[in-house]
Amino acid sequence: MSEDRKDDAADTRRAAELRGRLVDELVAAGHITSAEVETAFRTVPRHMFAPEASLEEAYAQDIVVVKRNEHGTPISTVSAPEIQAFMLEQAAIGSDMRVLEIGSGGFNAALISELVGPTGQVTTVDIDPDVTDRAARFLQAAGYSRVNVVLADAEAGVPEFAPYDRILVTVGAWDIPPAWREQLAPGGRIVVPLRIRGLTRSLALDRDGDHLVAQSAMICGFVKMQGDGAHHERLLLLRGEEIALRFDDGFPENPHLLDGVLRTERIEVWTGVTAGRGESFATLQLWLATTLAGFCLLAASGDEADGILVAPGNRWFNLAMVDGDSFAYLALRPVGPDGMSEFGVHAFGPHAKQIAETMADQIRTWDRDQRHGPGPQFAVWPIDTSDDLLNASPDGKPENVLITDKRHSRITISWPAAG
């Protein structure tokens, strides 16, 4: 046997070993919960879709960057295995189904192909010819030549192979275009990482009359949609390019009011609300996005941010709000042993005290009324739906409802009544 063939055999054995270890980890962590998804992950050779990575990198719990733009920002990746796993679980793909994947790469389409079986149909679409060429080559080499690989802007879906029992979006979307709903078969489901006020959740959306209702929501992150579905955040620079506020929507009408705001005294308010090490507070993000006018995200880099935005030794988070000439953001400080920390608010500006108290009150309200509850309900409505219908509560009880208008649709985040 030649040395090359020996090396190939050793790599095949090593890949199988690493793949098995990865799947064991995904099952143990609860990212894979069904036998069907587990079998697909144990079957598809992930490394064949990431040849630029080592075997160890291909089977790590991380993304593999496929392509970057001129600024070095990733614009195409092989997603992290845990994200692919829980989105496939959200999709609940069965045999014989017709599935559209928006955002290609090859590996996820191969997994879907295993799930639908030989009598199902898989179509994967991407706007970038480099990505589709690569996906087609790798799918062919890995034995999944039946997958339809389409070069197109997915804003219009892929009508050629519609209708679809499942539409699985693997790029960050800001909106749900009409074509996706129109090409969804009766009883179908859209799984999409939807960005709302800068926060992204993977939603499993089922049709309910004239709108879509989420059956589950998972925190995630993806490269952003390109083409007609692209939506760009706006930045409000506070100090050069090192400290800025990011607005997905609702950019201030008079941003100049914050000129020089970082030269004012920083006000701190602590809430008495604590969290343990590793404890998730994803619903706090959504609660603040729902209840705070002027909600945005704080972005900071560089050494000059230290000591300005946070006191030495304190860690800060990027949830923020603006009110006229002042802004505030979420902070965290250690309190006692075992990694326990307390939520607080830092604020700058002439009305720093008031805005800090406003945010602190909502943190306490979340802790009292929503922290241990079921979380919010997401829904996607036609763009011409009236506010009265969007604010209606199914059980007649009052709710906190965030209504966000997109280009094609209106998104609601509805919270259950306290208690």
Side-chain angles (χ1 to χ4, degrees), residues 269-343:
V269 173
W270 297 98
T271 63
V273 178
T274 59
R277 181 185 290 120
E279 183 180 353
S280 172
F281 52 93
T283 57
L284 175 59
Q285 298 175 318
L286 293 168
W287 179 257
L288 295 181
T290 301
T291 58
L292 296 178
F295 179 85
C296 57
L297 301 177
L298 180 66
S301 62
D303 295 337
E304 292 189 30
D306 294 335
I308 299 174
L309 295 179
V310 294
N314 286 354
R315 182 181 176 188
W316 57 273
F317 292 84
N318 67 341
L319 307 179
M321 66 174 294
V322 169
D323 187 359
D325 55 9
S326 304
F327 84 99
Y329 59 91
L330 185 67
L332 201 67
R333 67 178 178 183
V335 287
D338 302 325
M340 189 67 69
S341 298
E342 179 185 7
F343 291 111

